[in-house]
Amino acid sequence: MSLVVDIRKRLGPFRLDVAFEAPGGSVTGVLGASGCGKSVTLQCIAGIQRPDEGYIALDGRVLFDSSKGVNLPPQRRQVGYLFQSYALFPNLTVEQNIAAGVKERGERRETVRRLAAAFRLEELLHKYPRQLSGGQQQRAALARILASKPQALLLDEPFSALDSYLKWQVELELADRLAPFPGPVLFVTHSRDEVQRLCRQVCVLDSGKSQPLQPTRALFEAPATLSACLLSGCKNITRARALPDGRVEALDWGAVLTPAAPPPAGLTHLGARAHHLVPVEGPGENALPCRVVRVVEELFSTVVMLATPGGGEGFSLLRLELPKEQWAPLSGRETVWLRIPPESILPLRG
């Protein structure tokens, strides 16, 4: 079972152009900054919005096809949509909310009983949404969605309404609930940490356009584009130019670096993660003399902002993150040499 999406839609000056195939039995992340079209993509899949053109199919069943005039209404798509606010009926109890998702009247009592047990809601069945915690509301909303027997799940930033204390517990619970679901699950978020923990593969959206689906691990180990690299949490970026000898010029850092492999065609930028930079004693391959600009002590580590030979502002700055005990012997220095290992240089396309 898979969900195939290939759609275009205009919203004023904004243009959505999304194409991917999400496999069943796993969670696919849809990662992007605010306003990039993540929620609009889910709404088009669910039938809440209509694409201008394209094709959507679930397990071979066509939900939308502009070329053939097919556009199934939401109630016929068999797609469960978990909104950011969970959208429980405020005037119904948990029991009534779950029952509302059951299509066959004769199955309601057994379905409510089964899902209440699965989501640990037995003692909450007679409570109203306003009487529930954020995590309890999410479990009730998921139970109601699953009561309708969906073939796919769409989760629109399901943790955005939770504080940080609740989020970790609810995230673990959600992972457990999603594990046995056989269909495709789309998980919309702007959090790289949520993607890393919950999603097997990820589709990056940048200004309305999707990038190729890739394993989540690949996004963090070898992002291919500047937008993917930034979304994956990389803090050190520089404009770059490939040199004839296989090296690259890091324009903002004022250095020439040797990567582990020849730079790819279309190179526009380089990235280097803050925890991959290595303090060294002096000059050498891929070593830069850096001036300490600012030191920020975090709970378990030290973050150091350093000016490079290319300057001390914007992309020219480097961010270094070290355990406190590793930074301590360097803390009195005005200049610190940093080496970027060849295998840690991330070649990027714009």
Side-chain angles (χ1 to χ4, degrees):
M1 182 183 295
S2 67
L3 174 66
V4 178
V5 179
D6 186 357
I7 55 174
R8 269 75 53 200
K9 183 176 178 64
R10 282 194 178 277
L11 294 165
F14 178 80
R15 177 174 170 79
L16 184 73
D17 186 356
V18 173
F20 60 84
E21 181 173 356
S26 67
V27 181
T28 298
V30 181
L31 176 66
S34 297
C36 73
K38 303 185 300 295
S39 293
V40 175
T41 299
L42 292 197
Q43 291 167 12
C44 288
I45 296 169
I48 299 170
Q49 292 209 43
R50 186 185 190 281
D52 296 330
E53 60 178 295
Y55 177 85
I56 303 172
L58 175 58
D59 195 24
R61 186 169 55 93
V62 177
L63 309 183
F64 175 81
D65 189 339
S66 59
S67 67
K68 297 182 178 178
V70 177
N71 184 28
L72 295 186
Q75 60 269 26
R76 291 182 54 198
R77 295 199 175 197
Q78 292 183 270
V79 171
Y81 195 137
L82 182 66
F83 294 88
Q84 294 181 21
S85 62
Y86 307 139
L88 292 166
F89 299 120
N91 59 327
L92 300 183
T93 64
V94 170
E95 181 177 13
Q96 292 167 334
N97 265 280
I98 299 173
V102 185
K103 297 176 182 178
E104 299 295 332
R105 183 183 297 270
E107 298 179 4
R108 285 181 180 173
R109 179 172 296 182
E110 173 57 25
T111 300
V112 169
R113 185 203 62 76
R114 175 174 53 82
L115 289 173
F119 284 85
R120 295 187 290 110
L121 296 167
E122 297 101 324
E123 297 183 2
L124 304 173
L125 288 175
H126 298 294
K127 290 192 174 184
Y128 290 90
R130 64 180 180 275
Q131 299 173 302
L132 306 179
S133 69
Q136 291 168 342
Q137 288 183 37
Q138 187 188 82
R139 296 206 307 271
L142 275 171
R144 185 183 66 185
I145 289 170
L146 292 176
S148 66
K149 300 179 180 179
Q151 291 185 334
L153 293 177
L154 311 179
L155 311 182
D156 193 355
E157 299 197 44
F159 307 127
S160 62
L162 304 177
D163 59 39
S164 56
Y165 175 78
L166 274 176
K167 187 178 295 185
W168 176 251
Q169 178 183 353
V170 175
E171 183 180 310
L172 293 175
E173 290 182 350
L174 181 62
D176 291 341
R177 304 292 170 247
L178 294 179
F181 185 72
V185 179
L186 290 189
F187 181 91
V188 158
T189 182
H190 59 264
S191 168
R192 65 182 184 275
D193 295 325
E194 291 173 6
V195 164
Q196 186 176 39
R197 291 191 292 263
L198 291 170
C199 303
R200 186 179 301 173
Q201 55 276 323
V202 60
C203 176
V204 170
L205 260 62
D206 181 23
S207 300
K209 185 170 179 60
S210 64
Q211 298 180 14
L213 196 70
Q214 60 182 312
T216 300
R217 183 173 179 178
L219 172 68
F220 293 95
E221 293 185 354
T225 65
L226 175 61
S227 58
C229 190
L230 291 171
L231 286 168
S232 74
C234 185
K235 301 295 193 299
N236 298 318
I237 301 290
T238 173
R239 295 168 299 149
R241 180 171 66 93
L243 301 176
D245 61 1
R247 296 186 297 169
V248 290
E249 183 179 4
L251 299 171
D252 295 295
W253 299 341
V256 173
L257 304 174
T258 302
L267 176 81
T268 61
H269 292 78
L270 296 178
R273 301 200 185 277
H275 56 280
H276 286 169
L277 305 181
V278 181
V280 292
E281 289 302 318
E285 182 185 67
N286 293 356
L288 289 71
C290 299
R291 177 176 55 85
V292 176
V293 174
R294 188 171 183 176
V295 178
V296 179
E297 295 293 344
E298 297 193 342
L299 190 59
F300 300 110
S301 63
T302 301
V303 175
V304 188
M305 302 304 299
L306 303 111
T308 65
E313 296 181 0
F315 278 2
S316 297
L317 285 171
L318 281 179
R319 176 187 173 110
L320 170 69
E321 294 182 19
L322 289 175
K324 289 180 179 290
E325 63 273 15
Q326 292 185 26
W327 172 249
L330 305 172
S331 61
R333 303 183 185 183
E334 292 185 3
T335 299
V336 175
W337 283 83
L338 294 180
R339 178 175 180 267
I340 307 176
E343 65 276 10
S344 297
I345 296 173
L346 304 173
L348 306 168
R349 301 189 306 274

